[in-house]
Amino acid sequence: MKKHKKKLIIIGIIIGIVLIVIISDKRKITFIEKGIKDGYTFIIKAISNNCENNCEDIEQVELLKAENNQLKKDIDNLKDLLKLETTLSEYKTINATVVDRNLGYWYDTLTIDKGQNDGVKENDAVISPKGLIGYIESVNYESSTVKLITSNLKNKISVKISINNKEIFGLLNSYKDGYFIIEGVSEDVKEGMIVTTAGLGNNYPEGIYIGKISEITTDNFDLVKTLKVKSDMNYNLITLVSVVSK
Amino acid sequence: MILLIIISLIFDGLLSSFSNIFIPLFTLSSLVIIYKKKKNFIWYSLIIGLLYGIIFTNMFLLELISYYLCSIFIVIYFDKMKYNLMNTFLITIINIILYRTINFLILCFSRIIKFNIFLLFKSIYSSILINLIYIAIMYFVFIKIFNKSNKKKYKLYN
């Protein structure tokens, strides 16, 4: 009986912890948490900026060269962003800088320096010059957490592939070994075709670039295809992003 | 000790942006150094877990549980073993394994992440080296400062 009691207590504790985690995953962030996180983001931003200034003093010439190159890249990126913005004219875009990333390791998240006060809202899409990155998972006053699309997708993303005047729709299911997986496509598609968001049924606006088809596999009956889509994005090196807000 | 907590939290944030190969867990590792200030150690660890959860993961209850279990393990370990550099290294490694495994299992049971044992291994081995380096530095900085201040106090009392 005692053994059973112990087992029941242990099982109860495990179920309790799991329930607590599930609840805390879906809960809204309190203003105290927002304040603490904003304060931390402010400190990290200040340190990063300060470090940059000090480094400039020490190795000015080399850094100016590097900075020049970086600025050129940034200008290109921003030009690309502007091009992207024209296709998303009915949406407001908010440019932001990444402060830190993926600290919980499992969550595949980024922290950006724009929040509620800048007009960022929960579930807004987040893009980079090279396409879709993810969505806003939680918003603080001066910072926000971005959930990357490379993480375990809770909601499938509706996507489309444009062939001449025809559009083929599909669902982006998961991200595995550097590729996005689209399942259930029956129409003829070819490698190299561009995949964009379809804007159906979720928060992602239509026409955001995701990647190009790099591999096509068919099922045993040659009816349904599974597509592997390669993104141009390096998800480990994201510095500038844009939040697409309605 | 508060300084050590602040430094660890800041470095955790700063280094996370630079590398995906070496993943810092400095705040968790700093528990081993904080243990030296034995008084209220468990309370310290709970507050640190709470802060870590609020700042980084939005899952403060999970972090609270993980930090609590890790701190209990540290207390049990150092009750039986001597506090030296080798043992701090060993307990840091065990703590990283314990922390990652607890997080991984709870998140898998909660269906927040998919079960992938290789992801767990990767999360462990990519955190060990960088945290050992951090602990070695912090051990020499903080424990030496402790020893010096303790010696000074001892001299003053005598």
Side-chain angles (χ1 to χ4, degrees):
Chain A
M1 191 65 192
K2 268 187 179 178
K3 271 185 184 176
H4 279 298
K5 257 190 180 178
K6 269 186 183 176
K7 270 183 191 173
L8 282 173
I9 290 167
I10 291 165
I11 292 165
I13 289 168
I14 292 168
I15 292 169
I17 291 170
V18 169
L19 281 174
I20 285 169
V21 172
I22 291 170
I23 293 162
S24 58
D25 185 42
K26 284 168 186 167
R27 77 193 164 86
K28 289 242 170 193
I29 298 170
T30 61
F31 74 95
I32 299 168
E33 288 170 72
K34 282 181 184 177
I36 293 171
K37 196 155 169 76
D38 280 341
Y40 178 80
T41 310
F42 177 77
I43 293 166
I44 293 289
K45 248 180 96 178
I47 290 170
S48 309
N49 291 341
N50 204 16
C51 283
E52 275 171 25
N53 291 341
N54 289 336
C55 287
E56 269 176 29
D57 291 338
I58 299 161
E59 295 171 22
Q60 232 175 6
V61 180
E62 279 82 2
L63 262 168
L64 279 172
K65 279 180 189 171
E67 197 182 16
N68 196 24
N69 286 333
Q70 186 58 44
L71 284 170
K72 277 178 187 171
K73 278 180 192 170
D74 285 351
I75 289 167
D76 289 340
N77 286 347
L78 290 168
K79 275 179 184 172
D80 287 344
L81 269 177
L82 282 170
K83 270 182 214 164
L84 205 59
E85 278 169 21
T86 55
T87 63
L88 303 163
S89 53
E90 71 259 46
Y91 294 90
K92 187 176 84 178
T93 52
I94 304 152
N95 294 329
T97 311
V98 175
V99 181
D100 61 52
R101 65 156 291 145
N102 197 20
L103 268 151
Y105 189 79
W106 315 108
Y107 311 104
D108 253 343
T109 54
L110 299 173
T111 308
I112 56 169
D113 65 344
K114 295 284 156 65
Q116 204 174 300
N117 294 347
D118 304 287
V120 177
K121 292 191 286 292
E122 250 177 55
N123 293 321
D124 280 348
V126 182
I127 58 170
S128 86
K130 288 181 177 172
L132 184 67
I133 289 176
Y135 65 93
I136 299 288
E137 189 184 44
S138 61
V139 190
N140 308 313
Y141 299 112
E142 297 290 342
S143 62
S144 312
T145 307
V146 178
K147 185 90 171 167
L148 297 178
I149 50 167
T150 50
S151 64
N152 185 18
L153 288 168
K154 276 182 188 166
N155 301 315
K156 293 172 181 176
I157 302 169
S158 60
V159 293
K160 66 175 180 183
I161 305 151
S162 301
I163 310 166
N164 300 324
N165 293 326
K166 203 179 148 196
E167 281 174 343
I168 297 163
F169 291 92
L171 283 173
L172 200 145
N173 283 337
S174 56
Y175 181 80
K176 214 176 179 185
D177 306 324
Y179 294 94
F180 291 107
I181 310 292
I182 299 172
E183 284 172 343
V185 175
S186 52
E187 286 89 344
D188 260 343
V189 285
K190 283 173 189 165
E191 283 177 19
M193 282 179 169
I194 289 169
V195 179
T196 59
T197 51
L200 304 168
N202 50 36
N203 298 297
Y204 301 109
E206 189 186 350
I208 300 175
Y209 177 79
I210 290 177
K212 283 178 185 166
I213 299 171
S214 63
E215 206 180 310
I216 303 162
T217 48
T218 49
D219 66 349
N220 295 338
F221 306 103
D222 206 18
L223 288 171
V224 182
K225 295 179 181 73
T226 301
L227 314 177
K228 274 189 175 181
V229 177
K230 182 82 181 162
S231 168
D232 301 338
M233 190 75 214
N234 181 353
Y235 289 92
N236 296 324
L237 293 168
I238 304 168
T239 48
L240 281 170
V241 297
S242 286
V243 181
V244 184
S245 189
K246 273 185 188 171
Chain B
M1 283 303 111
I2 291 166
L3 180 71
L4 176 62
I5 297 165
I6 294 167
I7 289 171
S8 303
L9 282 168
I10 289 171
F11 274 119
D12 260 341
L14 284 174
L15 283 179
S16 71
S17 312
F18 290 119
S19 170
N20 206 35
I21 306 160
F22 299 110
I23 300 152
L25 269 177
F26 297 153
T27 316
L28 177 83
S29 304
S30 67
L31 287 180
V32 186
I33 306 291
I34 293 163
Y35 172 77
K36 255 300 197 189
K37 190 185 165 64
K38 229 174 186 174
K39 210 179 163 187
N40 299 330
F41 169 65
I42 300 287
W43 283 110
Y44 263 98
S45 69
L46 285 174
I47 293 165
I48 297 165
L50 187 74
L51 272 176
Y52 190 86
I54 290 172
I55 294 170
F56 297 131
T57 63
N58 293 341
M59 293 260 207
F60 66 83
L61 284 168
L62 176 63
E63 299 299 334
L64 215 66
I65 294 161
S66 310
Y67 272 68
Y68 179 68
L69 292 174
C70 288
S71 61
I72 282 179
F73 190 78
I74 293 172
V75 172
I76 293 167
Y77 185 83
F78 283 122
D79 270 352
K80 287 170 185 166
M81 306 297 273
K82 211 179 155 191
Y83 193 93
N84 57 30
L85 186 62
M86 277 318 290
N87 277 333
T88 54
F89 276 173
L90 199 66
I91 199 75
T92 303
I93 295 168
I94 296 168
N95 256 353
I96 289 168
I97 296 168
L98 190 69
Y99 173 80
R100 289 289 196 211
T101 313
I102 292 167
N103 269 251
F104 179 75
L105 290 176
I106 292 178
L107 291 172
C108 280
F109 278 126
S110 317
R111 304 191 66 148
I112 291 168
I113 57 168
K114 279 179 186 167
F115 187 86
N116 180 356
I117 200 78
F118 295 108
L119 195 68
L120 175 64
F121 289 144
K122 198 189 161 202
S123 76
I124 290 169
Y125 73 70
S126 53
S127 289
I128 285 176
L129 182 67
I130 193 161
N131 284 293
L132 287 184
I133 294 167
Y134 181 73
I135 278 303
I137 296 165
M138 290 299 141
Y139 182 87
F140 284 111
V141 172
F142 280 90
I143 303 301
K144 279 206 170 181
I145 289 169
F146 261 123
N147 286 345
K148 272 186 185 175
S149 64
N150 282 344
K151 273 178 192 171
K152 271 183 189 172
K153 273 181 193 171
Y154 184 76
K155 273 181 189 173
L156 277 173
Y157 282 121
N158 287 316

